[in-house]
Amino acid sequence: MDCIVRSVKENVNNTVVKTADGRVFNADFVVVTLPLAVLQGNHEKSKITFDPPLSKSKRDAISRLGMGAENKIVLKFKPEDRF
């Protein structure tokens, strides 16, 4: 839908998602996938609020996460060399 989410509010019967351009979406369930920096709320411009707020243990875990360079190694085996 190409919209910037500003808030996610869970109610008794549904979840309400509000966007930066004022649109409101109601849903039974919401799957939230965010870049780490957005989830951590590092920049006010991209910050998302959750109501009710995420639990302290989740906020603590999110704040401890970090990003860095990752190396990938691909190993290719001949079928007869499988173990």
Side-chain angles (χ1 to χ4, degrees):
M1 290 209 175
D2 195 26
C3 53
I4 299 169
V5 173
R6 290 292 179 221
S7 68
V8 178
K9 181 176 183 173
E10 186 178 3
N11 296 314
V12 174
N13 297 324
N14 67 348
T15 301
V16 179
V17 177
K18 293 184 181 178
T19 65
D21 62 1
R23 289 187 279 176
V24 177
F25 298 94
N26 292 291
D28 293 332
F29 303 96
V30 175
V31 176
V32 178
T33 60
L34 301 168
L36 182 58
V38 173
L39 191 56
Q40 289 175 333
N42 291 340
H43 304 285
E44 196 61 38
K45 191 174 182 180
S46 64
K47 194 173 187 178
I48 296 176
T49 59
F50 293 92
D51 185 14
L54 297 176
S55 67
K56 181 169 176 10
S57 62
K58 287 180 183 169
R59 291 191 315 269
D60 289 346
I62 290 166
S63 69
R64 287 192 305 269
L65 289 173
M67 297 285 292
E70 299 295 328
N71 294 318
K72 295 180 182 178
I73 298 173
V74 177
L75 302 175
K76 187 174 180 179
F77 295 95
K78 294 178 189 174
E80 62 271 12
D81 293 337
R82 285 187 274 173
F83 46 90

